[in-house]
Amino acid sequence: MTRRKRPKAGVVGVAAVAIAATALTGPAQAAERDRPATAAAHQATQRAIDAAVAAGVPGVTIEVRDADGVWKSAAGVGDLKTGAPRGKNDRFRVTGITDTFVATVLLQMEAEKKLSLDDTVEHWLPGVVAGNGNDGSAITVRQLLNHTSGLFDYLADEEYGATYLRGDSYLRHRYDTVTPEQRLKVAFSHAPMFTPGAGHWFSNTNDVLAALIIEKAGGRSYEDEVRRRIIEPLKLRATSNPGTSTGLPRPSSRGYSKLLAAQPDRIDDVTEVNGSQSWGNGDIISSAGDLNRFYAALIHGQLLPPRQLKEMETTVDDPAFPGATYGLNIGRLTLSCGTSLWYRDGGTVGWISLSAMTEDGRHQLTFNYNGDWGAETMLPILDAEFCGTSSGSR
């Protein structure tokens, strides 16, 4: 099941679902939840990730947190050449989950009265969004974060995709440094998809602009703001922004892609890529454990005051994914069994990631595929964990 129409490298299945300076609360509760859980309670989920591997996904790493503790597992291989297994504590490219970090920083800045969600993009980035009917004065920060701006997704540009996302060209250009300005120029060579506020369409262009606004409003780099407001306070030791580096910190597995639709049996190792190519909209590297800690802190109000958390959880309809709605870079989904989740997903060349949690944040799941195909196997994993069934029907 696919959720949004995106270029090949960004098409994935269902997805993921307190000011940082404030001291975190509930250390005793956190320690209690960190105890290892028994595997017996997650047998259906284990079967679902095993089924994903049987269907062709190279490997899966997963962590679940609930009242019984923490369950970690993995399936498949982390290195197709050596046969080394996928690791339970792997670090990986989180792809679109980066966007929730960006939204959280901007909402913290709003709470500090450094900006408003109703500010226009033109106010913070004068002259940047212009040409071909694009108008930064008609788009608000809120519309960037809930993807109602109508701005064209630069990844959907045919020439850009042919260069940086597909085929042998990807292998030739994956070490290139690509600036935000270069990517925005691609986006604004296209007319907008619709008038701002008239619809919902996921566009990576929105998140690049949001990261640039963080820098303008905060006076520091986007990476510095994420680190001091989220990574350091939450002690997310496996989480980082790569800058222009190309590799992954250990422990990690290799990432794989089917770069050519005409050669579906060809699989390329695409582990290495210049981090600048997804700056602000997909660059963060993390682990399943760190992502679960991040989303738990977010939903429990440790990162945002109540008003800003309510803003984040205010959703609009997502017409590309019937039954789901989208807030400020998190989404809401109701499974076939009636369980409602907050979630966020992401996909890029070589990786698919998903984080999801119940509305109260007490039951969480994060997993990652070290391949960019097999999206149809994702919903069965959610159903297995949150509904107790491996059925993917809704």
Side-chain angles (χ1 to χ4, degrees):
M1 185 183 81
T2 55
R3 174 162 92 82
R4 308 183 185 104
K5 184 178 180 181
R6 303 194 203 174
K8 180 258 179 187
V11 174
V12 298
V14 293
V17 342
I19 303 301
T22 303
L24 300 183
T25 60
Q29 271 189 321
E32 179 72 9
R33 291 187 71 227
D34 282 345
R35 71 183 187 278
T38 61
H42 304 284
Q43 288 180 349
T45 308
Q46 183 67 55
R47 288 193 296 269
I49 66 172
D50 289 342
V53 171
V57 174
V60 184
T61 185
I62 188 169
E63 183 190 276
V64 174
R65 290 176 173 248
D66 59 18
D68 294 328
V70 178
W71 176 71
K72 297 182 179 184
S73 189
V77 297
D79 189 322
L80 291 174
K81 183 179 293 186
T82 67
R86 190 79 206 265
K88 295 180 181 180
N89 297 305
D90 273 358
R91 300 181 185 189
F92 48 81
R93 302 187 193 280
V94 310
T95 68
I97 292 174
T98 297
D99 303 343
T100 312
F101 285 77
V102 170
T104 300
V105 171
L106 283 171
L107 284 163
Q108 288 179 353
M109 289 180 166
E110 185 195 50
E112 297 161 0
K113 301 192 183 306
K114 291 184 176 178
L115 57 78
S116 167
L117 292 180
D118 296 319
D119 288 343
T120 66
V121 176
E122 181 69 14
H123 173 78
W124 289 106
L125 304 173
V128 171
V129 181
N132 293 306
N134 297 288
D135 181 3
S137 67
I139 300 169
T140 65
V141 175
R142 187 191 315 275
Q143 289 169 336
L144 295 180
L145 298 181
N146 67 12
H147 294 270
T148 60
S149 72
L151 293 172
F152 187 84
D153 185 354
Y154 74 91
L155 287 180
D157 178 84
E158 181 57 34
E159 183 178 354
Y160 189 94
T163 303
Y164 292 107
L165 302 178
R166 299 189 295 273
D168 292 322
S169 181
Y170 169 84
L171 298 175
R172 290 193 300 269
H173 290 282
R174 61 175 163 163
Y175 299 110
D176 294 358
T177 295
V178 182
T179 67
E181 291 75 20
Q182 286 174 287
R183 290 180 286 156
L184 293 176
K185 182 179 180 181
V186 171
F188 304 142
S189 69
H190 297 266
M193 302 296 292
F194 49 78
T195 302
H200 171 90
W201 190 68
F202 188 90
S203 172
N204 288 278
T205 304
N206 293 321
D207 299 303
V208 177
L209 291 167
L212 288 173
I213 291 173
I214 285 175
E215 297 194 333
K216 282 295 185 76
R220 298 180 179 88
S221 72
Y222 137 75
E223 294 93 335
D224 284 348
E225 293 287 6
V226 169
R227 183 169 55 251
R228 77 182 190 91
R229 290 172 176 272
I230 301 174
I231 294 174
E232 291 177 352
L234 296 181
K235 296 180 171 58
L236 304 181
R237 295 183 175 90
T239 304
S240 60
N241 292 89
T244 57
S245 64
T246 61
L248 288 174
R250 295 182 181 274
S252 57
S253 293
R254 310 301 293 178
Y256 297 98
S257 181
K258 296 184 178 183
L259 292 171
L260 290 168
Q263 298 180 35
D265 295 329
R266 168 178 156 175
I267 297 176
D268 287 284
D269 185 324
V270 294
T271 309
E272 295 183 351
V273 64
N274 190 313
S276 70
Q277 295 187 15
S278 56
W279 179 94
N281 68 290
D283 59 324
I284 287 178
I285 295 167
S286 190
S287 67
D290 269 14
L291 292 179
N292 278 339
R293 283 189 285 275
F294 164 60
Y295 278 105
L298 181 62
I299 206 70
H300 290 144
Q302 294 175 326
L303 290 171
L304 295 175
R307 189 171 75 83
Q308 276 69 37
L309 184 57
K310 183 178 179 180
E311 292 274 16
M312 176 173 270
E313 294 177 344
T314 300
T315 63
V316 297
D317 287 339
D318 183 351
F321 188 5
T325 57
Y326 200 81
L328 302 187
N329 272 329
I330 59 170
R332 191 170 181 272
L333 166 70
T334 300
L335 297 176
S336 58
C337 60
T339 298
S340 291
L341 303 176
W342 291 111
Y343 68 89
R344 188 66 175 87
D345 72 334
T348 191
V349 179
W351 308 92
I352 295 175
S353 300
L354 181 149
S355 288
M357 59 189 165
T358 51
E359 290 183 297
D360 60 8
R362 294 181 179 180
H363 188 176
Q364 296 180 268
L365 169 153
T366 293
F367 64 84
N368 170 266
Y369 292 179
N370 62 329
D372 55 19
W373 64 94
E376 70 281 356
T377 65
M378 297 174 73
L379 184 57
I381 296 174
L382 288 181
D383 278 338
E385 181 58 37
F386 293 104
C387 299
T389 172
S390 59
S391 171
S393 63
R394 295 185 58 196

